[in-house]
Amino acid sequence: SPCPPAAVRHPPSSLLGSEGAQGRMSTNEEVKMGSKVVILGKRKGTVRFIGTTAFGPGEWVGIELDKPTGTHDGLANGHRYFTCPPGHGVYVQRQGVLPSTSWQAAASQIQSLLRGRKDRQETDYKRAFQTWNAMDMEEESQFLDQSATITRVEHMLRAYHPASSATPNGNSAVALSISGGLSPNSMDWGADIQIEPGYEGPHITWPLTLSTVENVLHHIRTKPEIAIHKKYVAEVVGRACDLMGKQLKDSVYDMAVPSGSDGKLVICGDTHGQLADFLWVLKQNGEPSPTTGYLLNGDVADRGEDASEILMISLLYKLLYPDNVMINRGNHENLEMNRRALEHGGGFFDECKRKYDATIFMMFQQLFEIFPLATVVSKRVFVVHGGLFRRDGVLVQHIRTINRRRQCPTSTEAIEDALMFDCMWADPQDFPGVSRAAHRGANCIRFGPDVTKRFLGNNSLSLCIRSHEVPNSLRGFEDKHDGRLITVFTASNYCGQTGNYGAVVIFHSDMSYTVEEHMAPSLDSLVQEYSHSGMTPSRTDEPVKQVTAEDMNASMDKMNADIMEKLRQKIVQHKDDLWWYWMQIDTKGTGKVSAAHWRQGMSSALQLDLPWFNLQKTLCKIDAQGNIDYKEFLDQSQPDFAYDQAGFEPGWENKVVLKFYENMLKSDMTLKQTLSMFDSDGDGLVSPTEFRQALNIAQSGLPEPQVNAILRLIDRDDSGRLKVADFLDRFQVVYSSGKSDAEKPPKEVQDNLSKIGRLLIGSEGTRVATFEKIDINGDGYVDQSEFLTAVKSLKLQLSDQELAQVWKVVDANGDGHLNYLEFCAAFQVEDKTGTKDQALRGIIDSILASLQKNSMSLAFAFRYFDPTGQGTLKRDDFKAGMKALNASNNGPSPCTDEQLDVLCDFIDA
C-alpha cells in the first residue's frame, strides 16, 4: 500500500557502540588520523583508526570521544584497533564522520537541532491528537453513561404522564415514526410532498436510470450547498428501506467482489459527513458499477455537515446496483447519538432539520435500523464497524440471528444485546483476552489477538476489517493481531482538526487487496475542479499530499483549542469534586495546592488520563513556589449557559437562592432552637457536619453541590469551624444576596431599618445578645409589643404609621412574632467577607453545571413531550421533564422542587 510521505521512516544503519550513519561526506573533505571530527553533528572526538574491520563491509573509523559517552576502550566484539580510556571509544562507518571545521561543526549542529525540532514537533503533534482523541471518546462515553438515567426518566414519565406522548414503549425507529404520523409503507414516502417552483436542484424520476443518478452526483459535486429536495430524499430513502428490507434476510450481509479482471470492492471506514473524502474516493476508484462495488463500514452520520449527501449518493447507486453497494451500521447510526449537537459528537439531526425536516430524520432512522451489523465478503473477510466479541464461541450465525431492527442496546447482560453492542462499539488491544474500555464508556470492551484468531478460525475466515477510530499513528489504516485485523478510517483530517490520513481497502477479484491512503483536498477545491472537468473527473495518480510542519502546527492549534473548551466544560461539571479534593489537602486554608496535587486532583475528579503536566501550563498559573491558586482557577470556570437567551426572565436566579432562606424563616424556631440546630454539640462552633445536619432538620432539600457551595463561601478557622453567632451572620449575608431590588421594601423603610439596626445592635454588640435583650419574656421570640418597645426606646421620632411599616417588613412570615432568622434578615450585618455576590453565583453555577452534566437525559425528557422534534414545549411539560430528571438522577439532583418552581415561573413559555 502507498505510504504517506510524512509517515515514511528510514531506520538508521547498524553500527557498534554508537548511532547509525546519516548523511555522507563529500569527497573533497578529509578525515585522517589524529584529526578532530564530529559524529552525526553531535559528539566530538579524535580519529585513532581508519580502515577495514571485522564488523562489516566498507571503511570504518575508530574515534576517541572528548567525553565519556562511548561504550568501550577500543575493544569491541573481541577486536581491538586502537586504545583509549574506558567509555571514550566508538567505531563508526566512514560516512557518519565529518571534519570538525568551524563551519562544518556549525552546519552539523544546525542539522541536529532541526532534526530535534522536527522530532519534538511530531511528539507534540501526536500528544495533542491523543489528548483530543481521549476527549472525543469521553464525549461518546457520556452517551453510554447516561443511558441508565435516560431509562429511569422514561419509566417515570410513562408512569406519571402516560397520555402526554404518543410514543410507544420501545426503542424501534419504526414504532417512533408511525406514532409520529409516518406511513408504515416506505414506498409511499414523499408522495404527498410538492416541489416548489423555485427549486434549483436535480430531479429524480422513477424507474431510476444511470443518467439520473449521474446528474444527482454531478449536482452534489458542483453545487453541494443546494440540498436535494426533501421529496426526492424521502422517495430514495423509502425505496432503499423497501429494497434492503427484502434483500437482507438476517443481520449479516453476504457480498461478493465483482468478478472479472477489473472487478473490485472498495471498503470505506468512517466518513462522518465529510463529503470531500467520499467524493475523492469516488474519483480515485470510480463510481459503483457492475464491476466496482462499495461497502461503507458505518459511521456515515454525525460530526460532519454532509452525511445526507453521502447517504443519497450511496443509496441511489444501491437502488441501481443492488448487489454491489451496502452500508454497515455503526454506533453513530443511532437515534440518540444523532440528536446530540455537532460539538458533542452528534449533528445529524440538526443537519436534517437544516436541510429538510424532522420527518426526513425519522426516515433515515428507519433506514439505519435495516443496515446489517456486519458483512462477509466472498466468504473470507468479516467486515464490522466496531469489533469482535466479549463472549466465547461466537459464530457468524449468531450475529445473523440478532434482532437489529431497534436502537443499539446500552445494557450487555443478555448475550444478544452484548453481541449487537460489540459490533458497534468494541476496540482491539495488543494483549490477549478481553478487557473493559473505560475510556469508551459503560460496557465497552477491548479484544485481543487471541479473540481475533479464534473467531476467524471458528468461522473459516481469513481477515477482519473494522473502523470506529482514528489509528494512533494518524495513518488511514492500521494492521493488528498478526495481520488478521485491519482498522480502516476514511475521513482524513478528521473534524477538520487532527491532520490524519484517510484510507480505503480495495479487494480485487482474486481476493488480493491493497490499501490506498489519501489526504482529501477541501470541498471547495473539489467543487471548483469538478465544475471544469465535466461529469466524470479522472483519477489523480500524484503522490499523497505530505503533512508539512505548517499543517501540523495548524492541526495542533485547532485540536488544542477544542481540548481547552471541552476541558472547561468538564471542569465546570466536576467543580464540586475538585473543590472537595483540593480543600482536603489545603488544611491551612491557603487556597493553594502544589502543582503535583493539582494534577492528581484533575485526574481523580475528571477521571481522564491526560498529560496533565503539559496541560497545566495552559490551564492555570504556577507561582514561584510551585503552587497553584485553585480557588482562582475554579472561580474562573463558569457554566456556559446563556439563560437570558434561553427564555428566562431577569431575576430568576435571585428567586432560586431566596426560596431556601424563606423556608428557614418559616420554620419559626426559637433562638435556642436555632442556635442548637446549627451547634448540636453545644461547643459554640459550627462545623460542616453540623451545618449539613441543620439543613436536614430544616428539610431544606438542597442538593449536596449547593450545600458545598455555601460552605465554601463561609470563612472558617483552621479547624474548619466558625463561632455559631458569627456563622449565622455570615449565613444570612450569603442568602441576603438572593433578594432583588424589586422585592425589597421602599427606600424610606430601608433607611428606618438601618437606623434601628445600628442603634439596637451597636458597633460592638452582637445580634444574639440584642435579640435576647429585646425578648423580655424569654420565650425565644420577639413579639410585636416587645419589638415596638425596644424601637421606641431609641428616641427616633418615628410615627405610628412608620412603625407599622417597619413591623410588617420585619415579620416576614406574618405570624405576629419574630424568630431569630427573621430578626437577622431584617437587620443585616455588613458583608466584610466579599461573599455576597459569590454566593449567588456559586449556587446558580451549581444548578447550571448539574443541568449541563445531565443535558442528554434532560433532552430525552423534553423529547418525550415533543416526539416530532419541533423543539418547543408547554410550560407544564417543561416542568414535568425537569422533575423526572430530578427524581431519576443517580447523583445529586440539579435543583430542589421549589427551585424548579421558580425556574418554571420565570421561563418565557
Side-chain angles (χ1 to χ4, degrees), residues 641-691:
F641 188 84
Y643 54 80
D644 56 330
Q645 299 176 16
F648 288 106
E649 297 174 4
W652 71 275
E653 66 273 35
N654 295 312
K655 264 292 189 184
V656 164
V657 176
L658 191 61
K659 268 288 183 181
F660 169 67
Y661 195 68
E662 288 175 349
N663 282 348
M664 296 292 289
L665 296 180
K666 292 175 184 176
S667 62
D668 200 29
M669 294 176 289
T670 66
L671 174 62
K672 183 177 181 181
Q673 289 171 331
T674 302
L675 297 178
S676 63
M677 183 175 74
F678 286 98
D679 178 24
S680 57
D681 59 9
D683 65 353
L685 300 172
V686 180
S687 68
T689 300
E690 288 174 319
F691 179 67

Side-chain angles (χ1 to χ4, degrees), residues 690-707:
E690 288 174 319
F691 179 67
R692 287 185 170 87
Q693 290 174 349
L695 295 184
N696 289 333
I697 293 171
Q699 297 182 333
S700 70
L702 279 186
E704 187 71 8
Q706 293 187 39
V707 175

Side-chain angles (χ1 to χ4, degrees), residues 187-496:
M187 293 296 288
D188 293 337
W189 294 353
D192 58 341
I193 302 175
Q194 301 299 314
I195 303 292
E196 297 83 0
Y199 172 63
E200 298 178 353
H203 293 273
I204 299 175
T205 56
W206 308 97
L208 195 64
T209 64
L210 177 59
S211 175
T212 298
V213 174
E214 288 177 340
N215 283 334
V216 173
L217 177 58
H218 181 69
H219 170 81
I220 293 174
R221 279 172 164 161
T222 56
K223 297 179 180 179
E225 72 280 3
I226 300 178
I228 299 170
H229 198 279
K230 66 180 181 180
K231 174 183 178 66
Y232 300 134
V233 175
E235 290 177 347
V236 170
V237 174
R239 283 163 171 76
C241 285
D242 182 73
L243 169 64
M244 296 172 72
K246 295 173 181 176
Q247 186 183 41
L248 284 159
K249 302 302 181 184
D250 53 48
S251 293
V252 177
Y253 183 59
D254 293 289
M255 191 174 191
V257 178
S259 59
S261 59
D262 56 349
K264 62 182 177 182
L265 174 65
V266 181
I267 301 179
C268 299
D270 300 33
T271 52
H272 276 303
Q274 295 188 194
L275 181 59
D277 284 277
F278 191 61
L279 294 180
W280 180 263
V281 171
L282 292 176
K283 174 186 175 182
Q284 294 299 96
N285 298 283
E287 296 86 20
S289 69
T291 58
T292 301
Y294 271 80
L295 172 58
L296 279 64
N297 195 24
D299 277 13
V300 178
D302 287 338
R303 300 192 182 277
E305 296 183 346
D306 299 306
S308 57
E309 280 74 19
I310 297 174
L311 288 165
M312 282 296 291
I313 294 169
S314 303
L315 295 177
L316 284 167
Y317 279 106
K318 173 70 179 176
L319 294 171
L320 208 57
Y321 307 113
D323 297 331
N324 281 8
V325 177
M326 183 51 70
I327 306 174
N328 281 345
R329 188 173 174 185
N331 62 304
H332 279 267
E333 277 70 56
N334 180 283
L335 178 70
E336 291 302 323
M337 190 70 84
N338 296 158
R339 281 188 179 274
R340 298 178 68 181
L342 183 70
E343 59 270 22
H344 296 304
F348 186 60
F349 174 74
D350 292 333
E351 178 186 344
C352 289
K353 284 275 286 183
R354 184 176 68 254
K355 296 177 180 178
Y356 318 113
D357 56 30
T359 301
I360 296 295
F361 173 75
M362 291 310 301
M363 291 177 181
F364 275 118
Q365 292 304 314
Q366 286 202 41
L367 175 71
F368 293 166
E369 290 185 354
I370 299 175
F371 286 170
L373 301 179
T375 295
V376 174
V377 177
S378 297
K379 300 181 180 180
R380 293 172 61 182
V381 180
F382 186 74
V383 184
V384 65
H385 176 73
L388 300 182
F389 312 100
R390 68 191 71 202
R391 305 291 185 113
D392 290 330
V394 176
L395 301 176
V396 173
Q397 180 59 31
H398 292 121
I399 312 304
R400 292 186 187 278
T401 59
I402 292 174
N403 170 26
R404 73 185 188 284
R405 300 293 292 271
R406 54 184 172 135
Q407 293 299 292
C408 179
T410 52
S411 169
T412 56
E413 293 183 8
I415 185 171
E416 182 181 16
D417 292 344
L419 297 183
M420 183 174 178
F421 183 89
D422 291 344
C423 280
M424 300 186 214
W425 283 94
D427 290 310
Q429 63 186 17
D430 294 331
F431 48 90
V434 172
S435 63
R436 292 289 177 182
H439 67 292
R440 277 284 192 193
N443 298 322
C444 290
I445 59 106
R446 288 186 176 276
F447 60 96
D450 56 324
V451 175
T452 301
K453 182 179 180 180
R454 190 162 52 247
F455 175 80
L456 294 177
N458 290 344
N459 290 279
S460 300
L461 299 166
S462 57
L463 182 67
C464 177
I465 295 178
R466 46 89 61 179
S467 302
H468 194 41
E469 60 182 343
V470 179
N472 280 330
S473 63
L474 294 170
R475 303 284 298 275
F477 77 103
E478 187 172 41
D479 285 313
K480 278 187 175 290
H481 297 178
D482 302 316
R484 296 184 178 93
L485 182 78
I486 295 177
T487 295
V488 59
F489 198 89
T490 301
S492 63
N493 193 26
Y494 183 40
C495 296

Side-chain angles (χ1 to χ4, degrees), residues 43-63:
R43 297 189 289 177
K44 296 179 181 180
T46 304
V47 176
R48 299 302 186 198
F49 168 81
I50 302 175
T52 59
T53 69
F55 307 144
E59 191 173 44
W60 289 74
V61 180
I63 301 170

